[in-house]
Amino acid sequence: MYQDQYVFSQLVTFIDRSKFNRIVANYGGDRNVKHFTCWNQLLVMMFGQLANRESLRDPIVIIEAHRNKCYHLGFGKHVTKSNLAKVNQNRDYRIFEEFAYYLVGEARKRRITDIFKLGGNVYAFDSTTVDLCLSVFWWARFSKNKGGIKIHTLYDIETQVPAFFHINEAAVNDVRAMDEIPYELDSYYIFDRAYNDFALLYRIHTSRSYFVMRAKKNLQYRAIKWRRRLPKGVLSDTTIELTGYYPSRRYPEPLRLVRYWDTEQYREFVFLTNDFHISTLQVEELYKNRWQVDLFFKWLKQHLRIKKFWGTTENAVRIQIYSAICAYCFVAIVQHDMQMNRST
């Protein structure tokens, strides 16, 4: 008789089940449940993500083929398509959201590094849009004939783990998600120019945090001071004041504007930041690392299932996205604890 644990069961031991059970108890997720618990649901959803299953039927077909092993794999005895669809629709998505944040914290603690040596964390913030069929996902209206959702992510560049995520309809402007970010003291936040809202940027400044972002071409400003002896590739490094009617009132403090010539792309970049202490090349290096959040979105869409959903309700979609984030953090934790040198 085979005595050893299955590979999936061995990997699951890296997850703190007692923590998950406490979260479930807080939301009453297993109240009046006899067989298919929230823990079984989480493992089935993560198994489907890691096995790269396309639809709700796919993981069920695989599990049905190995019915005798379901208990030892942690799936429970009653894994059916109707059961999984029902719990995804009815169980509180906040259970999986809270546990995803817990795994995010665990992954970041394990993988903590200090690459930039700036005295604070370095984050890149961006969003990715997932297109949905409007006739099926009626609640996610994007335009007249199109549906979709946006996944806003605050990505920790040094640990390569998402620190914060926010999901809303695709019709909502990206800038509104900046209000939801939990800003940390002395940390750095990197934005693209789509997030050029000076009222929200001033909130970062008053929180004693720093931002680096690309400036818009129509930025109205007045130069106050210029730095000399600039390194190669830096065209100018200027202290400015905003002169536009609304920008000058929404951000009344001086800003730093850096013009940089990228020899690889053969184009000019213009950066805005409220940090006057770091070097001009550090400003360019910080923004250059913003592409890592795009790589994270690419990894999610290529290796996990967030483009095709296993349910049509908003609750089911959120559970699947949070399960995907759990799977990503789970892989990052296993990679660290097993001391693997391969990339995530």
Side-chain angles (χ1 to χ4, degrees), residues 197-203 205-206 220 241-255:
D197 187 300
F198 289 106
L200 295 173
L201 292 176
Y202 191 62
R203 178 186 165 193
H205 180 70
T206 54
Q220 299 178 7
E241 284 183 349
L242 300 176
T243 57
Y245 180 80
Y246 290 110
S248 61
R249 283 157 178 75
R250 292 170 180 170
Y251 200 105
E253 300 287 334
L255 281 168

Side-chain angles (χ1 to χ4, degrees), residues 61-329:
V61 169
I62 295 176
I63 292 169
E64 284 291 326
H66 301 279
R67 180 180 289 272
N68 294 334
K69 305 169 187 173
C70 284
Y71 176 80
H72 300 286
L73 290 170
F75 300 152
K77 297 181 179 180
H78 297 271
V79 187
T80 63
K81 182 183 174 183
S82 59
N83 264 359
L84 185 57
K86 183 179 178 181
V87 296
N88 282 349
Q89 180 175 343
N90 297 326
R91 282 183 181 162
D92 197 333
Y93 73 85
R94 292 177 297 175
I95 296 172
F96 303 89
E97 179 184 26
E98 190 170 329
F99 191 64
Y101 273 115
Y102 168 75
L103 289 181
V104 162
E106 290 297 305
R108 290 182 65 197
K109 281 193 295 186
R110 284 170 165 82
R111 298 165 61 90
I112 189 168
T113 53
D114 191 8
I115 298 172
F116 297 98
K117 302 187 183 303
L118 295 172
N121 296 318
V122 179
Y123 300 107
F125 187 73
D126 207 348
S127 69
T128 183
T129 302
V130 180
D131 294 329
L132 300 174
C133 177
L134 186 59
S135 61
V136 178
F137 300 89
W138 67 94
W139 48 269
R141 180 174 292 275
F142 181 26
S143 61
K144 184 177 179 180
N145 301 313
K146 191 176 181 181
I149 59 172
K150 281 183 181 177
I151 306 173
H152 304 271
T153 302
L154 188 67
Y155 188 73
D156 190 333
I157 294 176
E158 293 180 315
T159 62
Q160 297 185 352
V161 173
F164 168 79
F165 28 85
H166 179 68
I167 303 168
N168 57 19
E169 295 83 1
V172 179
N173 194 298
D174 285 351
V175 172
R176 293 191 182 181
M178 293 176 69
D179 268 333
E180 307 294 333
I181 300 175
Y183 296 109
E184 300 173 2
L185 182 68
D186 293 330
S187 292
Y188 287 76
Y189 298 87
I190 309 169
F191 303 97
D192 200 1
R193 58 185 172 189
Y195 297 92
N196 210 313
D197 187 300
F198 289 106
L200 295 173
L201 292 176
Y202 191 62
R203 178 186 165 193
I204 298 176
H205 180 70
T206 54
S207 300
R208 297 174 62 187
S209 302
Y210 304 102
F211 61 85
V212 175
M213 66 184 308
R214 282 182 65 190
K216 287 188 175 182
K217 293 181 180 179
N218 61 350
L219 180 69
Q220 299 178 7
Y221 64 91
R222 179 173 62 89
I224 302 174
K225 190 193 314 182
W226 292 264
R227 293 195 182 192
R228 298 182 179 181
R229 298 180 182 178
L230 302 176
K232 184 179 180 180
V234 179
L235 302 179
S236 65
D237 188 351
T238 314
T239 301
I240 66 169
E241 284 183 349
L242 300 176
T243 57
Y245 180 80
Y246 290 110
S248 61
R249 283 157 178 75
R250 292 170 180 170
Y251 200 105
E253 300 287 334
L255 281 168
R256 182 180 179 187
L257 187 141
V258 176
R259 295 183 179 273
Y260 177 80
W261 182 260
D262 192 322
T263 54
E264 294 180 0
Q265 301 184 43
Y266 205 71
R267 57 182 294 197
E268 180 184 349
F269 288 92
V270 183
F271 306 121
L272 273 179
T273 180
N274 63 332
D275 191 346
F276 293 87
H277 302 97
I278 60 176
S279 69
T280 49
L281 290 180
Q282 280 179 308
V283 174
E284 183 272 335
E285 184 186 5
L286 284 171
Y287 187 84
K288 191 174 183 180
N289 278 275
R290 196 198 67 84
W291 62 271
Q292 292 194 34
V293 69
D294 296 324
L295 288 183
F296 168 71
F297 290 140
K298 184 178 180 181
W299 192 96
L300 277 185
K301 290 184 175 181
Q302 285 184 344
H303 299 285
L304 299 178
R305 297 295 95 191
I306 64 167
K307 294 175 71 176
K308 295 183 179 179
F309 291 97
W310 304 347
T312 59
T313 64
E314 182 178 1
N315 195 76
V317 169
R318 285 179 177 272
I319 286 178
Q320 185 169 338
I321 292 173
Y322 292 133
S323 297
I325 294 170
C326 286
Y328 179 86
C329 295

